[in-house]
Amino acid sequence: MPISALTALTFILLAAAICAVWLPTVRIDQHSGQYMAPPWLMLFIAAGGCGLACLAEKDLAGGAG
């Protein structure tokens, strides 16, 4: 059974998040101040969003499977 493009993207983003653990943090400058964010966290959030979109896509298509 082939996997969807969203499922493949989710796995790729999760693998990138695991590899990004060793990268230094990223400084985000905003008007209210500076924030430090680890790159793996951004990739993990993107993977979670893709995973939720994949679940929604399966739900709209008529169920699990």
Side-chain angles (χ1 to χ4, degrees), residues 4-16 43 46-54:
S4 70
L6 277 176
T7 304
L9 181 61
T10 302
F11 288 136
I12 290 169
L13 286 171
L14 282 173
L43 290 166
C50 285
L52 290 175
C54 187

Side-chain angles (χ1 to χ4, degrees):
M1 177 166 98
I3 62 171
S4 70
L6 277 176
T7 304
L9 181 61
T10 302
F11 288 136
I12 290 169
L13 286 171
L14 282 173
I18 291 169
C19 293
V21 168
W22 291 277
L23 293 176
T25 58
V26 177
R27 183 180 309 172
I28 301 170
D29 293 324
Q30 292 186 345
H31 298 293
S32 61
Q34 293 182 357
Y35 300 100
M36 301 294 281
W40 67 264
L41 182 61
M42 295 181 247
L43 290 166
F44 189 73
I45 290 171
C50 285
L52 290 175
C54 187
L55 287 175
E57 180 183 56
K58 286 183 180 181
D59 190 39
L60 291 175

